[in-house]
């Protein structure tokens, strides 16, 4: 492999933190994708001469490593068949539904598993090749759970951390996985295994005790070779200062005013922003809102619901079905309840720049986040960060990880449509003083606990683990 520079810090994630863009003259360049993870890790990686290993997003792309914004980016090639079996198959049609409480039914296929093992090994081999002696390696998420063990076998001198961005299921569900033991052993290759919530860490430790038979003590797993692995919670967050600054910028403020005008100045704007995913609970929230209109509690003059559903995993069957289901629901609601120029739901199946997201957060009086289950949910935190005047009501599923920190939200059970209706109405009619009291407390939380603090806490903890014994 040409021109790889050895690195003291190596991050592995399914995707590289960049998107390929085509310029006006037809040439292609790379642009950093605007996620919080990238914002948090970019300065650390730059400072430590670090590298990021990931898939560039196109099948069969064979791209040499390159530098961007002080990060060394190392693309991993996936064939079209691997995209189908490793990414769409095992990652998103086996693990994703299994880890999300069976909201959809997971499918298990042995050839998907074989591709998962093969691709995990490719990532591990690449990391083994570029990590410098004694380097720190941070592996991310459910697509790469076998990497820690594979990498430890190749390079016992490394410090290895793993962070799971999605929920870790209780034993009763995890046990369905035909390759449950391999996944647990894969994760145990790390020195530190991080989860969003302490309940997930406890699930993991319990499963390791039951299924692999290792001795455990509180949050520690003791392996027969004398190594100890710590499992703990590190709730992720957002680039709070970045979002607040963006929301405060004059173009975003002007755009927020324009959006309200274009929606016809309703008394209140409700907002949902999600990847179009069956875990996000889009259906029950739209039904709840529609029923409030049908029941006469709200009218289309009082309220409009703006729902942004960002296209996601469109080649996976369950996601196609979901899209049809939401399309039908929105069509029916608007057909039944809308009037000319006044739809009940303004539905946008599209992805937007960050500025537009910030303008939407600024203009929304009631933000509705109702996942059936969610590792954290950053959208809820982003909304809070953008509420510069300490106003705005957040209706939040109690099954989102964020509910443990954003306690002042109107919390709901997403399976209980009457409960969602009651919370929406309560948030709609809430006294401004009450709204401010709640929002102020939540703003303090996201200010104090931002994504930089999250990354620093994880890396400090990882560096503080006993030095590996090569
Ligand atoms: C996984 C876990 C965990 C969405 N649409 C657009 C857009 N977004 C951005 C949001 C937000 C992010 O995508 C979505 O993050 P979430 O946390 O809400 O959900 P997942 O994608 O499922 O993320 C989740 C997270 O990992 C981090 O650990 O919290 O539980 O499932 O940042 O703003 N951004 C732009 N345009 C869009 O149209 N620019």
């Amino acid at each position: 492999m040409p021109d790889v520079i050895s690195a003291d810090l190596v991050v592995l994630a399914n995707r590289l933190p960049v998107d390929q863009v085509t310029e006006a003259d037809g040439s292609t360049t790379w642009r950093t994708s605007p996620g919080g993870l990238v914002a948090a890790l970019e300065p650390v990686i730059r400072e430590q001469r670090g590298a990021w290993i990931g898939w560039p997003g196109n099948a069969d792309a064979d791209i040499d490593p390159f530098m961007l914004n002080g990060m060394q980016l190392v693309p991993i090639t996936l064939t079209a068949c691997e995209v189908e079996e490793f990414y769409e198959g095992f990652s998103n049609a086996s693990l994703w539904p299994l880890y999300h409480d069976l909201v959809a039914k997971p499918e298990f296929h042995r050839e998907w598993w074989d591709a998962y093992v093969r691709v995990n090994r490719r990532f591990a081999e690449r990391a083994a090749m570029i990590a410098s002696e004694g380097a720190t390696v941070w592996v991310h998420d459910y697509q790469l759970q076998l990497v820690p063990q594979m990498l430890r076998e190749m390079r016992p001198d490394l410090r290895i951390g793993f962070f799971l961005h999605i929920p870790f299921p209780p034993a009763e569900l995890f046990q369905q996985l035909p390759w449950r033991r391999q996944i647990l052993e894969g994760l145990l290759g790390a020195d530190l295994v991080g989860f969003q919530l302490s309940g997930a860490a406890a699930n993991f430790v319990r499963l390791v005790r039951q299924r692999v038979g290792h001795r455990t003590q509180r949050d520690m797993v003791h392996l027969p070779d004398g190594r100890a692995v710590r499992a703990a919670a590190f709730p992720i967050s957002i680039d709070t200062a970045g979002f607040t600054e963006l929301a405060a910028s004059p173009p975003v403020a002007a755009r927020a005013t324009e959006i309200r005008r274009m929606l016809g100045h309703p008394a209140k704007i409700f907002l949902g922003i999600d990847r179009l995913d069956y875990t996000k609970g889009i259906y029950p929230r739209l039904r709840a809102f529609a029923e409030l209109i049908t029941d006469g509690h709200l009218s289309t003059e009082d309220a409009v619901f703006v729902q942004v559903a960002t296209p996601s995993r469109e080649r996976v069957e369950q996601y196609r079905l979901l899209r049809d289901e939401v399309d039908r629901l929105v069509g029916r609601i608007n057909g039944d309840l809308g009037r000319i120029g006044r739809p009940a739901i303004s539905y946008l199946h599209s992805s937007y720049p960050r500025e537009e997201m910030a303008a939407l957060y600024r203009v929304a009086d009631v933000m509705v986040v109702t996942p059936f289950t969610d590792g954290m949910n950053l959208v809820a935190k982003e909304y809070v960060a953008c509420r510069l005047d300490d106003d705005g009501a957040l209706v939040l599923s109690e099954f989102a990880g964020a509910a443990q920190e954003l306690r002042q939200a109107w919390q709901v059970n997403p399976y209980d449509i009457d409960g969602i209706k009651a919370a929406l109405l309560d948030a709609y009619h809430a006294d401004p003083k009450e709204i401010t009291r709640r929002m102020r407390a939540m703003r303090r939380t996201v200010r104090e606990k931002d994504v930089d603090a999250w990354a620093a806490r994880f890396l400090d903890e990882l560096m503080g683990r006993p030095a590996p014994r090569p």
Side-chain angles (χ1 to χ4, degrees), residues 39 238-249 354 358 385-386 450-452:
I238 56 162
D239 174 14
T240 309
F243 264 101
T244 310
E245 201 179 308
L246 186 63
S249 71
R354 270 177 93 232
C386 291
D450 66 1
V451 73
D452 289 344

Side-chain angles (χ1 to χ4, degrees), residues 5-9 17-18 32 38 41-52 66-73:
I5 311 163
S6 83
D8 296 340
L9 173 66
V18 287
T32 328
V38 192
L41 293 180
E42 201 180 286
V44 195
I45 293 183
R46 196 179 310 135
E47 202 176 298
Q48 302 206 23
R49 296 193 305 121
W52 186 309
F66 58 97
M67 295 295 296
L68 191 78
N69 300 339
M71 291 190 286
Q72 184 184 186
L73 300 180

Side-chain angles (χ1 to χ4, degrees), residues 165 196 275 280 310 351-352 357 374-378 382:
H165 290 254
Q196 302 277 21
R275 271 189 311 100
K280 300 289 182 184
T310 311
S351 134
Y352 292 93
M357 306 273 291
D374 211 332
M376 177 55 59
N377 196 290
L378 300 180
E382 289 165 4

Side-chain angles (χ1 to χ4, degrees), residues 136-450:
T136 299
V137 179
W138 191 357
V139 184
H140 287 262
D141 228 1
Y142 61 103
Q143 303 92 347
L144 301 178
Q145 293 173 101
L146 304 177
V147 169
Q149 185 194 31
M150 291 172 169
L151 186 56
R152 182 160 301 281
E153 278 165 11
M154 297 171 203
R155 290 286 306 272
D157 59 301
L158 302 175
R159 262 204 178 84
I160 304 173
F162 178 90
F163 183 76
L164 185 70
H165 290 254
I166 67 175
F168 190 79
E172 304 76 67
L173 296 189
F174 188 80
Q175 253 139 233
Q176 294 184 10
L177 188 62
W179 305 278
R180 58 200 179 187
R181 193 185 167 105
Q182 288 93 317
I183 296 273
L184 294 174
E185 285 175 344
L187 293 170
L188 287 171
D191 299 291
L192 176 63
V193 185
F195 299 89
Q196 302 277 21
L197 302 179
S198 53
N203 286 347
F204 172 72
V205 172
R206 187 157 74 100
L207 265 161
V208 167
R209 189 171 57 240
Q210 289 172 346
R211 286 279 149 207
V212 196
H214 293 325
R215 190 167 66 80
T216 66
Q217 195 181 23
R218 286 195 305 274
D219 59 356
M220 299 299 288
V221 177
H222 297 279
L223 305 186
D225 66 0
R227 221 163 49 80
V229 179
R230 178 160 186 240
F234 296 84
I236 199 170
S237 193
I238 56 162
D239 174 14
T240 309
F243 264 101
T244 310
E245 201 179 308
L246 186 63
S249 71
V252 167
R255 177 67 185 150
T257 309
E258 193 185 359
I259 293 174
R260 189 172 283 278
R261 182 181 58 73
M262 289 166 81
L263 291 169
H265 291 290
K268 295 222 164 155
I269 296 171
F270 291 72
L271 175 67
I273 297 185
D274 312 78
R275 271 189 311 100
L276 185 50
D277 193 293
Y278 49 76
T279 61
K280 300 289 182 184
I282 297 171
Y283 195 93
R285 91 176 62 136
L286 296 182
R287 269 202 57 185
F289 179 76
E291 285 186 20
L292 287 174
I293 298 179
T294 314
D295 300 347
H297 294 296
L298 294 176
S299 79
T300 51
E301 304 295 326
D302 303 327
V304 61
F305 201 118
V306 178
Q307 175 65 53
V308 175
T310 311
S312 179
R313 306 175 190 168
E314 290 179 293
R315 284 163 35 135
V316 179
E317 170 74 4
Q318 300 274 13
Y319 288 77
R320 290 205 199 119
L321 295 173
L322 173 74
R323 181 168 181 200
D324 290 346
E325 186 185 47
V326 174
D327 281 354
R328 269 199 307 277
L329 179 69
V330 171
R332 203 169 62 224
I333 293 173
N334 281 340
D336 288 346
L337 305 174
R339 293 188 297 103
I340 288 177
R342 284 273 181 191
I345 296 169
S346 182
Y347 178 63
L348 307 158
H349 179 252
S350 185
S351 134
Y352 292 93
R354 270 177 93 232
E355 291 70 17
E356 183 76 356
M357 306 273 291
L360 285 164
Y361 289 139
R362 261 199 79 151
V363 82
D365 303 290
V366 183
M367 180 83 210
V368 192
V369 182
T370 53
F372 296 117
T373 169
D374 211 332
M376 177 55 59
N377 196 290
L378 300 180
V379 164
K381 292 187 172 182
E382 289 165 4
Y383 176 66
V384 170
C386 291
R387 303 308 300 179
L388 307 171
D389 300 325
D390 290 340
D391 59 359
L394 173 65
V395 174
L396 178 61
S397 162
E398 57 194 74
F399 305 134
Q404 302 216 349
E405 291 168 276
L406 304 178
R407 297 207 165 272
Q408 297 80 7
W410 272 263
Q411 296 209 357
V412 294
N413 171 357
Y415 293 96
D416 171 13
I417 293 190
D418 284 340
I420 302 177
K421 284 168 72 178
L424 293 181
L425 210 52
D426 205 38
Y428 180 89
H429 288 300
D431 178 53
K433 281 209 197 80
E434 170 69 3
I435 290 182
T436 299
R437 184 188 65 76
R438 293 181 184 230
M439 185 51 79
R440 207 172 266 154
M442 293 193 284
R443 286 178 62 75
R444 201 173 312 125
T445 303
V446 297
R447 241 188 340 261
E448 284 165 9
K449 298 181 181 165
D450 66 1

